[in-house]
Amino acid sequence: MQKTTDIDTNTEALMDGLGTAARTAAHALALASSETKDLALREAAKALRRETRTILEANARDVEAARATGRPASFVDRLALTGARVDAIAKGLEEIAALADPVGSVLADWTRPNGLRIQRVRVPIGVIGIIYESRPNVTADAGALSLKAGNAAILRGGSESHHSSTAIHACLVEGLEAAGLPAAAVQYVTTTDRHAVGLMLTGLNGAIDVIVPRGGRSLVERVQTEARVPVFAHLEGICHTYVDANADLGMAESVVLNAKMRRTGVCGATECLLVDRNAPAGVLPTLVKDLLDAGTEVRGDDAAVAADPRVKPAQADDYGHEFLDAIIAVKTVDGVGEAIDHIARYGSQHTDAIITEDAAAAERFLAEVDSAIVMWNASTQFADGGEFGFGAEIGIATGKMHARGPVGVEQLTSFKYQVRGRGQTRPG
C-alpha cells in the first residue's frame, strides 16, 4: 500500500472536518425559515459591495499569476473581476433571495380510496459538493443557490482563483453569521492540494449527497470516473447556431456575432456555425465577413473558404471542439435535417440554436435536437441561469437524470412523500 504523505494526512483531516460540519449545518438549514435564508443572502450581498476593494485586490493576484504562467486571454477573462462584475455577483445574491423558496412546496396532493392523503413535498438534497475551476463568481452563485434550497455546500475552487474565491467566501460567511445560521453552511476548501478533490469524490464518509463539477473536460471526466456519489454532469459547451435558408439576414448577423463574440470563454458561446447551403447567395459571405472583421478566426469547409480568403480550411477535429476563444468552425449543410444530424454527431447536448422565419423548420429543430437548451432566433449566450430567471446557476447540466439545463434553486432539491392517515391498516 502506498504510504500517505504528510500533506495528504493533513488534507484528509481538513476534509473530514468539513464533511462533519456540513452535515450538521445541513440539518439546521433544512429547518431554517425562508426569511432567515433570505436575510443571509442579502447581508452577504452587502458584504460583497463593502469589500469590493479587498476582492479586487485578491483577484489581481490571481490574474497576475495566470498571466505570468501564460494562460490564454479567454482564461484570464473568465478569471478577472471588475467593480461591475462584483456588483453583478451581489445583485445575483439579491435576486436569489427574491425567488420563491422551493422547500416545503407541495408538488402533488391526492387522497386514496382508503382515506390516506399523500403529498409529494420538496425537500433539500442535503450537502452539495461543488468542484470548479477558474471562475470566482461560482463561489457566490453556488453557495447562494445551495443555501436558498436549504443545502449545505462544500466549495472547491481552482487554485487559479484561490485568492478571489477566498475573499468572496468570507462575505458569504458574514451573511450567514448575520442571519444566525451556521458558518459551516457554506464552506470553502482552503487547501489547493488536489487530493482534496479525490476525497470529495468519495463522498467524505457519506457527508456529500451530490457532486456538481464545473470546468473543462479533464475535470468532468475525472469526476464522472471517480465519483462514488451522484453527479450533476456539466460537459463541454460545444454549442451550434444553424442559419436556415429562411433566416432573416439582419437577425442572423446580430445573433451569430453575439453568440460567438459577446464572451468567447463562456460555455454558452457558439463554437460552430452551420449555414444552409440553400440560403441566398450573400448569407454565408456576410456572416463570415462579420465574424472575421470582429476578430474571429474562422475555420471552414470549402464553401466557407470560397466565401472569404481569410478563412482557414477546417480540420476534422475543429468540428466538435470547444474553443473557448475567438475561433469558430463553419460548415454548410443541406437543410435542417442535416443540421440536426451534425449537432447529434458533434454536439455536447448543451445549447444549440436555429435562426429562421420558417416556423415548421424551427419546431422540428426544437423537437429533434436532444440538447439541454434548444433555441429559436436567440443567441446561445442566453444559456445562463440568471437569464432564465433563476437568479444564478451552478452550471448547465447536460445529463438527463434529475437536473438538466441551468441548475438553479429548484434543481437543488429532491422530494419526499408525506402520508397522513386516521389509523388505517393494510389488509392481509
Side-chain angles (χ1 to χ4, degrees):
M1 179 179 295
Q2 185 177 1
K3 182 179 179 180
T4 304
T5 64
D6 290 341
I7 189 168
D8 284 352
T9 301
N10 294 336
T11 299
E12 287 170 3
L14 169 68
M15 299 307 293
D16 283 346
L18 293 182
T20 299
R23 180 54 65 188
T24 301
H27 179 72
L29 283 182
L31 302 176
S33 68
S34 301
E35 293 76 14
T36 301
K37 293 184 290 185
D38 294 345
L39 175 60
L41 292 170
R42 290 194 298 269
E43 291 298 322
K46 290 179 184 177
L48 281 166
R49 291 192 175 96
R50 188 171 57 251
E51 298 299 328
T52 295
R53 181 175 177 178
T54 300
I55 294 168
L56 294 181
E57 288 173 351
N59 182 249
R61 296 173 63 188
D62 291 331
V63 169
E64 182 181 359
R67 286 177 174 151
T69 55
R71 293 288 191 172
S74 58
F75 181 95
V76 174
D77 177 64
R78 293 195 299 274
L79 173 63
L81 294 174
T82 63
R85 288 186 179 182
V86 173
D87 186 63
I89 293 171
K91 287 181 179 177
L93 265 60
E94 291 167 340
E95 289 171 2
I96 293 169
L99 295 173
D101 189 346
V103 178
S105 62
V106 177
L107 302 176
D109 187 340
W110 68 98
T111 301
R112 298 289 296 147
N114 61 6
L116 286 178
R117 183 182 179 189
I118 304 173
Q119 293 180 311
R120 187 185 302 127
V121 181
R122 282 196 188 278
V123 296
I125 290 175
V127 178
I128 313 293
I130 302 101
I131 302 170
Y132 51 104
E133 293 181 337
S134 61
R135 299 186 65 171
N137 66 289
V138 177
T139 302
D141 293 349
L145 289 168
S146 297
L147 169 61
K148 179 75 176 189
N151 301 296
I154 298 177
L155 311 175
R156 204 291 185 175
S159 58
E160 302 87 354
S161 61
H162 183 69
H163 297 101
S164 310
S165 293
T166 299
I168 291 171
H169 174 252
C171 296
L172 297 179
V173 171
E174 188 171 331
L176 289 167
E177 292 177 337
L181 291 172
V186 181
Q187 298 181 89
Y188 184 74
V189 178
T190 55
T191 179
T192 58
D193 179 9
R194 293 190 176 187
H195 184 50
V197 173
L199 293 170
M200 288 180 68
L201 297 181
T202 68
L204 298 182
N205 299 314
I208 293 178
D209 294 290
V210 67
I211 289 285
V212 182
R214 182 164 177 174
R217 174 179 285 273
S218 60
L219 169 64
V220 175
E221 286 182 344
R222 179 186 178 188
V223 170
Q224 291 183 315
T225 299
E226 298 181 19
R228 299 181 191 174
V229 293
V231 175
F232 288 171
H234 176 114
L235 295 179
E236 294 172 300
I238 304 173
C239 304
H240 297 76
T241 295
Y242 164 59
V243 178
D244 185 58
N246 295 299
D248 175 273
L249 180 55
M251 178 190 295
E253 287 185 87
S254 174
V255 171
V256 168
L257 198 58
N258 181 270
K260 175 69 251 185
M261 294 298 289
R262 172 189 164 269
R263 289 189 70 183
T264 60
V266 298
C267 62
T270 286
E271 304 289 21
C272 181
L273 170 64
L274 303 174
V275 180
D276 193 332
R277 202 182 311 275
N278 301 309
V283 170
L284 179 61
T286 298
L287 295 175
V288 167
K289 181 179 185 300
D290 287 346
L291 288 164
L292 289 163
D293 289 349
T296 315
E297 179 182 319
V298 178
R299 303 175 184 178
D301 62 3
D302 290 344
V305 170
D308 195 299
R310 294 173 290 173
V311 176
K312 298 180 179 180
Q315 304 301 310
D317 61 358
D318 286 326
Y319 300 112
H321 187 86
E322 186 181 31
F323 297 107
L324 295 175
D325 204 345
I327 304 170
I328 193 169
V330 178
K331 183 176 177 61
T332 50
V333 294
D334 287 322
V336 66
E338 190 171 325
I340 292 168
D341 290 342
H342 180 98
I343 292 168
R345 178 177 179 183
Y346 293 103
S348 59
Q349 298 186 321
H350 190 292
T351 301
D352 299 288
I354 181 173
I355 311 301
T356 186
E357 297 301 296
D358 183 342
E363 293 300 336
R364 180 182 176 188
F365 189 91
L366 293 171
E368 294 187 25
V369 172
D370 188 19
S371 296
I373 304 170
V374 191
M375 298 182 167
W376 175 14
N377 288 346
S379 168
T380 57
Q381 298 234 359
F382 281 108
D384 175 84
E387 295 296 331
F388 275 46
F390 295 173
E393 66 176 41
I394 287 184
I396 306 291
T398 54
K400 297 184 181 181
M401 298 299 291
H402 186 76
R404 197 176 195 204
V407 178
V409 172
E410 287 190 0
Q411 290 72 32
L412 293 176
T413 61
S414 182
F415 61 81
K416 68 180 178 183
Y417 291 95
Q418 295 180 349
V419 182
R420 293 174 173 84
R422 300 187 306 275
Q424 290 92 330
T425 60
R426 185 172 178 177

